[in-house]
Amino acid sequence: MILPIYIYGQPVLRKVAEDITPDYPELQQLVANMWETLADSEGIGLAAPQVGLPIRLVVIDLRPLAEDMPEYKDFHQVYINPHIVEKDDTQTDTSEEGCLSLPAIHEKVTRPTRIHVTWQDEQFQQHDEWVEGYLARVMQHEFDHLDGHMFIDHISPLRKQLIKSKLKALTQGRYRCGYKTKPVVRR
């Protein structure tokens, strides 16, 4: 089932998500729904807060990038309870990012190119690894959602001021995108 993607201004996007246990209700169905939602929206990553759930769950599918990045031709991974343990700030990269929760907004973000992460797979097996390159960027972007952050939190105050009207439009439901969304409801 395709889930609506929560748009900027929804409170769940600013909450710190909770770890889950193997007995989380209907976890397999939720993961399947998140994959379907991600494919429908043509994204490469989706965090549970983006579908309204304040839990530490992320899906990342880098297969659509395989033509330019062949190392990701089979990359399709579920991350349960992921945490960034350490960021290696000795080398950074600045690249443009966008977000399904911020339709039509793209900004350059500087991030470390190497991070140390812990996470569990769908069988709740623990993983502890250093990740580099583009995957490290995608993980930082998606895992930020689990800590109540968004990529716009990493841009300069000047850039944020320049997109202020676009952000306001999102909170008022004035945007267009080709996927199912849940805008902020003003009372």
Side-chain angles (χ1 to χ4, degrees):
M1 173 174 63
I2 295 170
L3 305 170
I5 293 177
Y6 282 55
I7 298 300
Y8 176 79
Q10 286 280 4
V12 70
L13 295 173
R14 293 303 192 175
K15 287 184 178 169
V16 176
E18 298 288 328
D19 282 353
I20 60 173
T21 59
D23 61 353
Y24 186 83
E26 300 183 35
L27 180 59
Q28 288 181 342
Q29 185 60 54
L30 173 59
V31 169
N33 291 346
M34 286 179 67
W35 282 127
E36 191 175 348
T37 302
L38 183 62
D40 179 70
S41 62
E42 298 180 358
I44 58 170
L46 185 65
Q50 292 180 275
V51 294
L53 298 170
I55 60 172
R56 297 190 80 84
L57 174 64
V58 168
V59 295
I60 296 176
D61 184 0
L62 298 183
R63 296 174 301 179
L65 308 176
E67 191 172 307
D68 295 326
M69 299 179 191
E71 65 271 29
Y72 297 125
K73 72 179 177 65
D74 297 319
F75 196 94
H76 186 255
Q77 183 64 54
V78 175
Y79 295 89
I80 298 173
N81 302 327
H83 293 272
I84 296 175
V85 178
E86 182 181 354
K87 293 180 181 182
D88 179 354
D89 291 323
T90 58
Q91 189 170 359
T92 60
D93 173 65
T94 302
S95 293
E96 190 172 273
E97 292 187 20
C99 181
L100 297 173
S101 293
L102 293 154
I105 295 178
H106 297 86
E107 291 291 329
K108 290 189 175 183
V109 177
T110 301
R111 296 189 186 269
T113 58
R114 186 170 179 262
I115 58 172
H116 179 199
V117 295
T118 60
W119 55 282
Q120 294 168 311
D121 58 29
E122 288 180 273
Q123 289 73 46
F124 281 81
Q125 295 299 307
Q126 189 69 32
H127 298 263
D128 184 326
E129 63 184 326
W130 281 92
V131 179
E132 298 182 12
Y134 189 73
L135 178 57
R137 171 173 293 280
V138 175
M139 285 180 156
Q140 288 173 83
H141 177 107
E142 296 305 329
F143 297 177
D144 268 358
H145 283 297
L146 306 179
D147 293 322
H149 303 296
M150 301 179 87
F151 81 88
I152 58 170
D153 300 336
H154 299 287
I155 64 176
S156 72
L158 175 61
R159 287 299 314 155
K160 198 152 187 184
Q161 187 63 35
L162 292 172
I163 65 168
K164 190 176 181 179
S165 63
K166 289 181 181 180
L167 295 173
K168 184 177 181 182
L170 291 177
T171 66
Q172 295 173 341
R174 294 185 290 118
Y175 60 89
R176 287 184 210 216
C177 59
Y179 46 87
K180 188 176 175 181
T181 64
K182 184 161 179 73
V184 176
V185 177
R186 296 282 179 211
R187 299 183 198 276

